[in-house]
Structure formats: C-alpha cells, structure tokens
Amino acid sequence: MTRILVVDDEPQILRALRINLRARGYDVEVADTGAAALKAAAAHPPDLVVLDLGLPDLDGTEVIRGLRGWTTVPIIVLSGRAGSEDKVAALDAGADDYVTKPFGVDELLARIRAVTRRLAPATPGVPALRIGRTTVDLADRTVTRDDGTEIKLTPTQWAVLEKLLRNPGKLVSQRQLLHDVWGPEYQQETTYLRQYLAQLRRKLEDDPARPRHLITEPGMGYRYRP
C-alpha cells in the first residue's frame, strides 16, 4: 500500500485529503507544520509527499531541501502560490510536481498516479551509458562516478534521464517529454523541463554550464549525445 504524507496547515484540506486518499486505498499520514512533517517522514518514511508551501514554521521549500538531504521520495507541492518564481524555486529545491490551489481532488489524484508510475523499475535492454565521469545503469537504476561514489536521482529525474538515454542522438521534443514523464495533460510546463535538465547536468556533466551530453535544442526539445 502506497504511504502518503500530507503536509498542510489548513485543517479542512488535511481532513478532505485524508478521507479521499484513504477511500482510494492509500495509507495516509498528516502533518500541519514543517517540523512535524520532517519528523514524521524520518520516523515512517512515506512513498510520496503532498506538501503546502505556506506553513506556519518553515517555508515549504525548506522542507523540500530537508527531505532531499536524505531521501528521493516524490514530492508534489500543493500551494496557493501561483507565480512562476515560486514554482521554479520549488522544482529547483527538488519537488516533482506543482498543483495550484484551489484544486480538484481528481486532478491531484491524477498527479499522484503519474508520480507513482515513475517509481516503476526500468525495463532492461540498454547497457550502461557514460555521461562525463559517471556511468548510468538504467537496468539497476544506479549512477556511479568513476571514484565509486553513487549519485542519487529522484524518480522524476530518472524518468527524464531514461527517456533521453533510450533515444541516443535523437531529438526528444518538449511535448513528448512532458507527455511521457508527467502525463498527457501536461503541454505547456516547459519550466519543469528546464529545471530538471539543469538538475541532471549539475549531477552528471563535467561542466554543467557547457554540457556535452544532455543537450538543449532551443524551442524544440532535448537530446542525449553519447
């Protein structure tokens, strides 16, 4: 059973989500502060986190960074902040998706299903690939530096990287990446792609500012150059 930690300081939202998610077979734990969320996640690691940014004690981006210090658990932000700067800050901190309040429960459930699909194991058929000084093994879902250090990727980072690596040398359009990683309802969220490619380059490229392998084709999409 998928365990979801819902973090929000609005009691009515916590109650509504707890009822709706449990009715659909999820195991739900709730927290109304950032500190309580970090404590709950450490005590009973969730499979997914739904997180409000406007918490009374910590900003939600701080909670994301706190979680990302030790876990790659998928994080869906649920916030009344609709500005692009807030979305970029949350994605850059490590969030996997962003839902703006007011929201529909059906939409949130669809986002949860989409994120959960990214947890599925990679299918075999692609050998280990090289990016800079790292080796990416899609079958084992491992990224290892030449010195033996393992690099941790979130499920969404894996999904984006796998899509590119399974199409070496080919242009993967923005629309195709959004459709395959986030779902068919995503068509305009190119900010997501920019943030995730920046994150992957920082982790994998020798010189993230001058990438040699994870290439942007302006206005069109992205390409993995072996």
Side-chain angles (χ1 to χ4, degrees):
M1 181 182 293
T2 302
R3 180 182 181 82
I4 300 179
L5 173 62
V6 180
V7 188
D8 201 298
D9 64 339
E10 298 183 46
Q12 64 272 29
I13 288 182
L14 286 181
R15 181 174 181 275
L17 290 182
R18 180 166 49 203
I19 291 172
N20 279 279
L21 292 173
R22 285 179 175 171
R24 288 162 175 82
Y26 294 104
D27 181 16
V28 182
E29 185 172 2
V30 299
D32 57 6
T33 67
L38 292 172
K39 183 178 180 180
H44 303 286
D47 299 305
L48 186 145
V49 176
V50 176
L51 172 69
D52 182 24
L53 293 183
L55 299 172
D57 57 340
L58 297 172
D59 189 82
T61 54
E62 296 180 53
V63 178
I64 295 172
R65 293 189 185 97
L67 291 169
R68 284 289 172 256
W70 62 275
T71 179
T72 60
V73 63
I75 300 171
I76 298 177
V77 168
L78 186 62
S79 176
R81 302 177 188 174
S84 60
E85 291 183 3
D86 294 305
K87 292 182 180 180
V88 168
L91 292 169
D92 206 30
D96 294 271
D97 204 347
Y98 197 106
V99 179
T100 303
K101 296 177 181 178
F103 65 96
V105 172
D106 287 341
E107 178 190 1
L108 179 61
L109 288 168
R111 306 286 185 105
I112 288 172
R113 290 193 296 270
V115 170
T116 302
R117 283 196 298 270
R118 295 171 215 159
L119 299 174
T123 55
V126 174
L129 301 168
R130 295 283 296 174
I131 298 179
R133 296 185 176 88
T134 65
T135 300
V136 181
D137 190 321
L138 292 175
D140 290 340
R141 275 178 136 28
T142 58
V143 180
T144 310
R145 291 194 179 97
D146 288 347
D147 64 5
T149 305
E150 185 174 349
I151 299 172
K152 298 293 186 181
L153 299 183
T154 69
T156 303
Q157 289 170 349
W158 267 116
V160 172
L161 183 63
E162 181 175 0
K163 183 66 180 179
L164 295 176
L165 266 55
R166 288 187 182 277
N167 294 276
K170 297 178 182 179
L171 174 69
V172 182
S173 70
Q174 295 176 345
R175 183 182 294 269
Q176 190 66 48
L177 265 175
L178 287 169
H179 178 281
D180 291 355
V181 176
W182 281 273
E185 65 274 21
Y186 290 79
Q187 298 183 21
Q188 307 300 325
E189 291 83 351
T190 54
T191 298
Y192 285 25
L193 297 177
R194 290 194 297 272
Q195 292 302 310
Y196 274 91
L197 264 295
Q199 293 169 15
L200 288 169
R201 287 170 181 144
R202 287 196 294 269
K203 290 186 174 185
L204 304 178
E205 292 274 9
D206 290 343
D207 185 354
R210 299 177 182 82
R212 296 179 56 195
H213 302 284
L214 303 177
I215 307 300
T216 298
E217 300 290 353
M220 296 187 293
Y222 300 89
R223 190 189 310 270
Y224 164 59
R225 182 184 295 159

PDB file of all heavy atoms in Angstrom, residues 53-70:
ATOM      1  N   LEU A  53       3.320  24.951   0.619  1.00  0.00           N
ATOM      2  CA  LEU A  53       4.491  25.807   0.818  1.00  0.00           C
ATOM      3  C   LEU A  53       4.317  26.775   1.979  1.00  0.00           C
ATOM      4  O   LEU A  53       5.272  27.139   2.652  1.00  0.00           O
ATOM      5  CB  LEU A  53       4.797  26.597  -0.463  1.00  0.00           C
ATOM      6  CG  LEU A  53       5.258  25.810  -1.687  1.00  0.00           C
ATOM      7  CD1 LEU A  53       5.570  26.764  -2.831  1.00  0.00           C
ATOM      8  CD2 LEU A  53       6.474  24.951  -1.366  1.00  0.00           C
ATOM      9  N   GLY A  54       3.080  27.220   2.220  1.00  0.00           N
ATOM     10  CA  GLY A  54       2.842  28.243   3.239  1.00  0.00           C
ATOM     11  C   GLY A  54       2.586  27.654   4.605  1.00  0.00           C
ATOM     12  O   GLY A  54       1.462  27.727   5.120  1.00  0.00           O
ATOM     13  N   LEU A  55       3.608  27.113   5.223  1.00  0.00           N
ATOM     14  CA  LEU A  55       3.474  26.502   6.547  1.00  0.00           C
ATOM     15  C   LEU A  55       3.804  27.528   7.629  1.00  0.00           C
ATOM     16  O   LEU A  55       4.535  28.489   7.389  1.00  0.00           O
ATOM     17  CB  LEU A  55       4.395  25.287   6.653  1.00  0.00           C
ATOM     18  CG  LEU A  55       4.111  24.169   5.637  1.00  0.00           C
ATOM     19  CD1 LEU A  55       5.191  23.109   5.694  1.00  0.00           C
ATOM     20  CD2 LEU A  55       2.746  23.553   5.895  1.00  0.00           C
ATOM     21  N   PRO A  56       3.290  27.347   8.851  1.00  0.00           N
ATOM     22  CA  PRO A  56       3.471  28.368   9.888  1.00  0.00           C
ATOM     23  C   PRO A  56       4.885  28.476  10.439  1.00  0.00           C
ATOM     24  O   PRO A  56       5.260  29.531  10.963  1.00  0.00           O
ATOM     25  CB  PRO A  56       2.492  27.934  10.976  1.00  0.00           C
ATOM     26  CG  PRO A  56       2.291  26.467  10.765  1.00  0.00           C
ATOM     27  CD  PRO A  56       2.386  26.270   9.285  1.00  0.00           C
ATOM     28  N   ASP A  57       5.679  27.422  10.345  1.00  0.00           N
ATOM     29  CA  ASP A  57       7.013  27.463  10.962  1.00  0.00           C
ATOM     30  C   ASP A  57       8.150  27.489   9.938  1.00  0.00           C
ATOM     31  O   ASP A  57       9.150  28.181  10.112  1.00  0.00           O
ATOM     32  CB  ASP A  57       7.203  26.267  11.905  1.00  0.00           C
ATOM     33  CG  ASP A  57       7.001  24.927  11.211  1.00  0.00           C
ATOM     34  OD1 ASP A  57       6.359  24.890  10.145  1.00  0.00           O
ATOM     35  OD2 ASP A  57       7.479  23.913  11.741  1.00  0.00           O
ATOM     36  N   LEU A  58       8.015  26.742   8.858  1.00  0.00           N
ATOM     37  CA  LEU A  58       9.053  26.672   7.826  1.00  0.00           C
ATOM     38  C   LEU A  58       8.419  26.910   6.464  1.00  0.00           C
ATOM     39  O   LEU A  58       7.277  26.515   6.232  1.00  0.00           O
ATOM     40  CB  LEU A  58       9.722  25.287   7.815  1.00  0.00           C
ATOM     41  CG  LEU A  58      10.482  24.838   9.057  1.00  0.00           C
ATOM     42  CD1 LEU A  58      10.893  23.378   8.894  1.00  0.00           C
ATOM     43  CD2 LEU A  58      11.705  25.705   9.298  1.00  0.00           C
ATOM     44  N   ASP A  59       9.172  27.535   5.577  1.00  0.00           N
ATOM     45  CA  ASP A  59       8.692  27.615   4.209  1.00  0.00           C
ATOM     46  C   ASP A  59       8.787  26.227   3.587  1.00  0.00           C
ATOM     47  O   ASP A  59       9.697  25.448   3.898  1.00  0.00           O
ATOM     48  CB  ASP A  59       9.540  28.599   3.407  1.00  0.00           C
ATOM     49  CG  ASP A  59       8.940  28.862   2.036  1.00  0.00           C
ATOM     50  OD1 ASP A  59       8.016  29.688   1.956  1.00  0.00           O
ATOM     51  OD2 ASP A  59       9.380  28.226   1.069  1.00  0.00           O
ATOM     52  N   GLY A  60       7.835  25.921   2.715  1.00  0.00           N
ATOM     53  CA  GLY A  60       7.808  24.592   2.122  1.00  0.00           C
ATOM     54  C   GLY A  60       9.078  24.219   1.381  1.00  0.00           C
ATOM     55  O   GLY A  60       9.467  23.050   1.361  1.00  0.00           O
ATOM     56  N   THR A  61       9.756  25.206   0.768  1.00  0.00           N
ATOM     57  CA  THR A  61      10.994  24.891   0.065  1.00  0.00           C
ATOM     58  C   THR A  61      12.073  24.410   1.039  1.00  0.00           C
ATOM     59  O   THR A  61      12.912  23.578   0.680  1.00  0.00           O
ATOM     60  CB  THR A  61      11.514  26.110  -0.717  1.00  0.00           C
ATOM     61  OG1 THR A  61      11.642  27.223   0.171  1.00  0.00           O
ATOM     62  CG2 THR A  61      10.564  26.473  -1.847  1.00  0.00           C
ATOM     63  N   GLU A  62      12.030  24.909   2.276  1.00  0.00           N
ATOM     64  CA  GLU A  62      12.977  24.424   3.288  1.00  0.00           C
ATOM     65  C   GLU A  62      12.676  22.975   3.636  1.00  0.00           C
ATOM     66  O   GLU A  62      13.598  22.173   3.868  1.00  0.00           O
ATOM     67  CB  GLU A  62      12.904  25.292   4.535  1.00  0.00           C
ATOM     68  CG  GLU A  62      13.335  26.735   4.340  1.00  0.00           C
ATOM     69  CD  GLU A  62      13.243  27.529   5.623  1.00  0.00           C
ATOM     70  OE1 GLU A  62      13.811  27.081   6.648  1.00  0.00           O
ATOM     71  OE2 GLU A  62      12.602  28.583   5.625  1.00  0.00           O
ATOM     72  N   VAL A  63      11.402  22.629   3.688  1.00  0.00           N
ATOM     73  CA  VAL A  63      11.019  21.242   3.967  1.00  0.00           C
ATOM     74  C   VAL A  63      11.489  20.341   2.824  1.00  0.00           C
ATOM     75  O   VAL A  63      12.013  19.245   3.061  1.00  0.00           O
ATOM     76  CB  VAL A  63       9.495  21.119   4.160  1.00  0.00           C
ATOM     77  CG1 VAL A  63       9.104  19.664   4.403  1.00  0.00           C
ATOM     78  CG2 VAL A  63       9.040  21.983   5.331  1.00  0.00           C
ATOM     79  N   ILE A  64      11.329  20.815   1.588  1.00  0.00           N
ATOM     80  CA  ILE A  64      11.801  20.031   0.441  1.00  0.00           C
ATOM     81  C   ILE A  64      13.296  19.781   0.547  1.00  0.00           C
ATOM     82  O   ILE A  64      13.771  18.653   0.373  1.00  0.00           O
ATOM     83  CB  ILE A  64      11.470  20.758  -0.878  1.00  0.00           C
ATOM     84  CG1 ILE A  64       9.957  20.854  -1.079  1.00  0.00           C
ATOM     85  CG2 ILE A  64      12.107  20.016  -2.064  1.00  0.00           C
ATOM     86  CD1 ILE A  64       9.548  21.734  -2.251  1.00  0.00           C
ATOM     87  N   ARG A  65      14.052  20.830   0.840  1.00  0.00           N
ATOM     88  CA  ARG A  65      15.508  20.665   0.957  1.00  0.00           C
ATOM     89  C   ARG A  65      15.863  19.728   2.110  1.00  0.00           C
ATOM     90  O   ARG A  65      16.805  18.935   2.012  1.00  0.00           O
ATOM     91  CB  ARG A  65      16.169  22.023   1.145  1.00  0.00           C
ATOM     92  CG  ARG A  65      16.069  22.928  -0.082  1.00  0.00           C
ATOM     93  CD  ARG A  65      16.925  24.174   0.065  1.00  0.00           C
ATOM     94  NE  ARG A  65      16.733  25.085  -1.047  1.00  0.00           N
ATOM     95  CZ  ARG A  65      15.922  26.141  -1.041  1.00  0.00           C
ATOM     96  NH1 ARG A  65      15.249  26.424   0.064  1.00  0.00           N
ATOM     97  NH2 ARG A  65      15.803  26.901  -2.107  1.00  0.00           N
ATOM     98  N   GLY A  66      15.115  19.834   3.210  1.00  0.00           N
ATOM     99  CA  GLY A  66      15.359  18.935   4.333  1.00  0.00           C
ATOM    100  C   GLY A  66      15.134  17.484   3.954  1.00  0.00           C
ATOM    101  O   GLY A  66      15.919  16.597   4.320  1.00  0.00           O
ATOM    102  N   LEU A  67      14.079  17.217   3.194  1.00  0.00           N
ATOM    103  CA  LEU A  67      13.813  15.846   2.744  1.00  0.00           C
ATOM    104  C   LEU A  67      14.860  15.386   1.736  1.00  0.00           C
ATOM    105  O   LEU A  67      15.346  14.259   1.805  1.00  0.00           O
ATOM    106  CB  LEU A  67      12.418  15.766   2.114  1.00  0.00           C
ATOM    107  CG  LEU A  67      11.234  15.924   3.073  1.00  0.00           C
ATOM    108  CD1 LEU A  67       9.942  16.084   2.293  1.00  0.00           C
ATOM    109  CD2 LEU A  67      11.135  14.733   4.015  1.00  0.00           C
ATOM    110  N   ARG A  68      15.224  16.281   0.831  1.00  0.00           N
ATOM    111  CA  ARG A  68      16.172  15.904  -0.211  1.00  0.00           C
ATOM    112  C   ARG A  68      17.576  15.643   0.344  1.00  0.00           C
ATOM    113  O   ARG A  68      18.420  15.052  -0.326  1.00  0.00           O
ATOM    114  CB  ARG A  68      16.240  16.992  -1.289  1.00  0.00           C
ATOM    115  CG  ARG A  68      15.029  16.975  -2.211  1.00  0.00           C
ATOM    116  CD  ARG A  68      15.066  15.763  -3.120  1.00  0.00           C
ATOM    117  NE  ARG A  68      13.820  15.631  -3.889  1.00  0.00           N
ATOM    118  CZ  ARG A  68      12.862  14.754  -3.626  1.00  0.00           C
ATOM    119  NH1 ARG A  68      12.987  13.924  -2.589  1.00  0.00           N
ATOM    120  NH2 ARG A  68      11.781  14.705  -4.372  1.00  0.00           N
ATOM    121  N   GLY A  69      17.807  16.051   1.586  1.00  0.00           N
ATOM    122  CA  GLY A  69      19.091  15.758   2.199  1.00  0.00           C
ATOM    123  C   GLY A  69      19.309  14.276   2.455  1.00  0.00           C
ATOM    124  O   GLY A  69      20.450  13.833   2.600  1.00  0.00           O
ATOM    125  N   TRP A  70      18.217  13.488   2.469  1.00  0.00           N
ATOM    126  CA  TRP A  70      18.381  12.064   2.784  1.00  0.00           C
ATOM    127  C   TRP A  70      17.444  11.132   2.016  1.00  0.00           C
ATOM    128  O   TRP A  70      17.577   9.909   2.100  1.00  0.00           O
ATOM    129  CB  TRP A  70      18.170  11.833   4.284  1.00  0.00           C
ATOM    130  CG  TRP A  70      16.796  12.181   4.771  1.00  0.00           C
ATOM    131  CD1 TRP A  70      16.349  13.406   5.161  1.00  0.00           C
ATOM    132  CD2 TRP A  70      15.672  11.294   4.923  1.00  0.00           C
ATOM    133  NE1 TRP A  70      15.021  13.348   5.523  1.00  0.00           N
ATOM    134  CE2 TRP A  70      14.581  12.066   5.389  1.00  0.00           C
ATOM    135  CE3 TRP A  70      15.494   9.932   4.696  1.00  0.00           C
ATOM    136  CZ2 TRP A  70      13.331  11.526   5.639  1.00  0.00           C
ATOM    137  CZ3 TRP A  70      14.238   9.373   4.941  1.00  0.00           C
ATOM    138  CH2 TRP A  70      13.172  10.176   5.419  1.00  0.00           C
TER     139      TRP A  70
END
